[in-house]
Amino acid sequence: MDRREFVRIGLTAGAAAGSSRVLAAPSVAAFKFGAGGILEAGVREQQQMMEAGKLTSHSLTSQYLARIRNIDKSGPRLNSIIEINPEALKIALEMDRERMLKRLRGPLHGIPVLLKDNIATGDRMSTTAGSLALNGVRAARDAHVVAQLRAAGAVIIGKTNLSEWANMRSTHSVSGWSARGGLTLNPYSLDRNCSGSSSGSGAAIAANLATLAVGTETDGSIVSPASICGLVGIKPTLGLVSRSGIIPIAHSQDTAGPMARSVADAALMLTAMVGVDADDEATAESRGKMADYSAALEKGGLQGKRIGVARNFFGSNPEVDMVIERALQDLAAQGATLIDTEVPNSAKYGETETEVLLYEFKADLEAYLKKYAPHAPVANMADVIAFNKKNHERELKYFGQEYLEQAQNKGDLETPAYRDALLNNRRYARAEGIDQVMQQHQLDALVAPTGGPAWLTDFINGDHYGGSFSSPAAVAGYPHITVPAGHVQGLPVGLSFVGAAYSEALLIRMAYSYEQATRHRRAPQFPASVSLSVR
């Protein structure tokens, strides 16, 4: 975007907002945002422009909507956005009006945000989890996290595509595909996968289609697409962010979290998202433990920290290991003490994790539909299975619904097999897992590769994950942050920081220090495939 276009859009937005004053032309200093311009800029930089009268929320939102048309719906056709909010520009104008009246709501005032399409909005958009069974179904009201973001002044500009039913439909699924939204493409290599299930959120923020996005995770669905798309992703402690109004997999692991281009942006967004919710009893545990996470954005946050290197999560890809070994050197250079170790008992809950998810998926889905979509044509898991069979040409064209069928065959949440599996998960992921290794070595955090680089999308064989560090924190319900650490053949790779419950501020402090010392984020160029000469 050249300078004339920037000024023209800003002036047009000011007129549309009913402003009587002419916006001043931006100074040269206003354009120090890198190759991506204002759309690549972070929350604080965008706010500075708006505070200086050189940008409006309406013009910023308009530019993102134009980029969605040019990048997502044409050009490389990323297909990351499943629906645009028809009220986005109206909301942006209202935020501009409040700004003129000096009624700022906080750091996210007027900032464009995308939501994953399993997060309920009580507006004109549908909430579908990518399923045609819920196509056109509007939620009865906002999810708690959406209400929090609206109260903070965020402009909800649309919903992102996802792996259908948050990737809990088939044992041979293709991440990033839904019957409603189609396939989301990876902006770093269009023939490769974004990972799931927050694939649309990952691709959209990497490609500068909004400032921020919300993803959701049960096991890896924030941190994996964030890592693969060169982003920062935060999976919070279970209960720090309310789960009410989010189409579920499992209440014992589900959480929403921020996906952003920087640690600072993710921290600002997390601060707006947290809150005690009377409709989600797990959030009661977070009372008194929430924070303004922007206070953790200090350089020097690695000095004196003891960090455990989880060596049993290395070895899946030698080139990834090389990237992370360099990251370890950077951590040490910033004053961290590194201790080689392993996360114990991580192999003891693989099967029981799946068992718990199946039981809870059946029960939790029915509860969500009853409360947020009582008017939907499906009311439970059996109805969804029947719908998919009836509409198999569109819903089951690439892979089946094995997980839905397995979930339907499970009993209720009083079943001994479920309760035993849940106890097993908590024992080995928490007390005899993360807690044990951190206490033994007096650690502030654990680090490891988040996962492998993006794999080629394959509708015949399904996904090809190349290792993952997501499960220990996911099963334990503990926080996990991924930060860009470098590239393999031009494909992003993330470094994970995992900590004890409610240690978000500490992890953010360390992640921010690492990010500021290394700055590995590169905006994507949308190549058709990877060039093997790129390093």
Side-chain angles (χ1 to χ4, degrees):
M1 178 181 64
D2 65 23
R3 185 174 185 274
R4 289 174 299 169
E5 179 67 0
F6 184 94
V7 175
R8 183 190 68 77
I9 292 173
L11 290 172
T12 302
S19 172
S20 60
R21 62 190 175 94
V22 177
L23 296 179
S27 66
V28 174
F31 289 91
K32 294 180 180 178
F33 298 124
I38 193 67
L39 302 187
E40 167 82 8
V43 171
R44 286 174 169 173
E45 293 81 7
Q46 291 175 351
Q47 286 291 1
Q48 288 170 0
M49 292 290 287
M50 287 190 275
E51 289 167 8
K54 296 169 182 175
L55 179 69
T56 65
S57 177
H58 185 278
S59 67
L60 181 60
T61 302
S62 297
Q63 290 175 66
Y64 278 127
L65 292 175
R67 187 164 173 84
I68 289 170
R69 291 192 296 270
N70 294 333
I71 301 297
D72 204 64
K73 304 307 177 188
S74 58
R77 294 184 180 274
L78 295 180
N79 204 36
S80 65
I81 311 298
I82 205 168
E83 187 170 359
I84 293 294
N85 184 0
E87 299 173 324
L89 291 175
K90 178 181 177 181
I91 296 169
L93 285 173
E94 176 59 22
M95 293 303 103
D96 288 332
R97 187 187 72 83
E98 290 186 10
R99 184 181 295 274
M100 291 180 66
L101 296 173
K102 308 297 183 184
R103 297 176 183 171
L104 294 180
R105 302 186 184 196
L108 297 194
H109 190 104
I111 298 296
V113 172
L114 288 163
L115 304 174
K116 187 176 177 180
D117 185 37
N118 61 348
I119 301 173
T121 53
D123 54 19
R124 293 164 60 188
M125 292 189 289
S126 303
T127 304
T128 72
S131 172
L132 295 176
L134 295 177
N135 195 21
V137 176
R138 298 177 183 174
R141 65 180 188 274
D142 281 345
H144 184 269
V145 70
V146 176
Q148 293 286 95
L149 290 169
R150 292 195 201 275
V155 178
I156 308 300
I157 66 169
K159 299 279 188 82
T160 57
N161 194 24
L162 71 163
S163 309
E164 188 173 320
W165 296 115
N167 230 4
M168 194 64 180
R169 203 192 85 179
S170 174
T171 56
H172 294 84
S173 67
V174 171
S175 290
W177 182 88
S178 70
R180 181 186 178 214
L183 178 68
T184 294
L185 306 185
N186 189 315
Y188 290 90
S189 182
L190 299 177
D191 58 351
R192 290 181 180 264
N193 205 272
C194 291
S195 188
S197 62
S198 303
S199 44
S201 295
I205 299 306
N208 294 329
L209 304 187
T211 312
L212 302 166
V214 181
T216 68
E217 174 160 331
T218 306
D219 187 339
S221 291
I222 290 173
V223 296
S224 182
S227 171
I228 279 175
C229 291
L231 300 177
V232 174
I234 301 179
K235 184 206 81 71
T237 302
L238 186 74
L240 188 65
V241 175
S242 173
R243 302 161 297 178
S244 63
I246 299 175
I247 297 177
I249 292 178
H251 62 265
S252 64
Q253 292 183 206
D254 288 350
T255 184
M259 299 176 71
R261 292 183 289 272
S262 70
V263 175
D265 283 2
L268 288 168
M269 191 180 197
L270 181 62
T271 301
M273 294 170 68
V274 301
V276 176
D277 176 15
D279 289 336
D280 184 353
E281 62 183 16
T283 62
E285 289 289 323
S286 68
R287 194 183 302 275
K289 300 170 184 173
M290 296 172 284
D292 176 357
Y293 296 103
S294 66
L297 302 173
E298 302 172 347
K299 293 183 180 180
L302 286 162
Q303 186 67 43
K305 298 298 185 293
R306 293 177 57 83
I307 296 177
V309 181
R311 288 294 177 185
N312 51 330
F313 288 90
F314 285 65
S316 295
N317 183 308
E319 290 197 77
V320 171
D321 287 352
M322 289 175 61
V323 169
I324 302 304
E325 291 295 343
R326 288 194 293 270
L328 297 179
Q329 294 174 15
D330 292 327
L331 295 176
Q334 293 296 307
T337 298
L338 304 182
I339 299 97
D340 277 354
T341 187
E342 294 188 353
V343 180
N345 298 313
S346 58
K348 292 185 178 179
Y349 46 79
E351 292 183 4
T352 53
E353 179 190 10
T354 302
E355 188 80 352
V356 166
L357 302 190
L358 292 170
Y359 274 98
E360 293 186 2
F361 191 18
K362 178 182 179 182
D364 293 353
L365 177 61
E366 184 170 352
Y368 169 87
L369 292 170
K370 183 177 181 179
K371 194 166 189 177
Y372 284 86
H375 49 294
V378 292
N380 51 42
M381 188 71 71
D383 288 349
V384 173
I385 292 168
F387 177 92
N388 289 346
K389 288 180 178 178
K390 182 178 180 180
N391 297 275
H392 64 91
E393 291 184 356
R394 293 186 296 167
E395 277 286 357
L396 306 178
K397 62 189 295 187
Y398 294 121
F399 47 84
Q401 54 179 342
E402 297 89 354
Y403 281 138
L404 301 186
E405 292 167 345
Q406 290 172 27
Q408 177 58 27
N409 290 331
K410 297 298 182 183
D412 60 29
L413 300 187
E414 297 300 320
T415 305
Y418 161 73
R419 299 176 76 84
D420 290 345
L422 185 60
L423 287 172
N424 182 83
N425 292 351
R426 290 175 174 169
R427 173 185 175 184
Y428 289 119
R430 294 180 182 177
E432 298 181 33
I434 293 174
D435 294 345
Q436 179 176 310
V437 66
M438 292 191 70
Q439 291 166 9
Q440 179 183 352
H441 297 287
Q442 297 181 311
L443 302 176
D444 294 294
L446 292 160
V447 297
T450 306
W455 60 91
L456 291 168
T457 295
D458 184 350
F459 280 104
I460 296 175
N461 297 303
D463 286 335
H464 305 281
Y465 289 97
S468 173
F469 187 44
S470 66
S471 289
V475 179
Y478 289 177
H480 182 170
I481 301 179
T482 183
V483 182
H487 299 78
V488 170
Q489 305 289 356
L491 299 172
V493 173
L495 172 68
S496 284
F497 294 80
V498 166
Y502 301 105
S503 63
E504 280 81 2
L506 177 60
L507 296 182
I508 287 169
R509 187 171 289 110
M510 290 185 281
Y512 180 74
S513 294
Y514 170 75
E515 174 199 57
Q516 294 301 297
T518 57
R519 297 184 179 274
H520 287 295
R521 151 95 181 152
R522 297 180 198 163
Q525 300 300 311
F526 316 109
S529 60
V530 167
S531 172
L532 295 181
S533 64
V534 175
R535 288 286 175 177

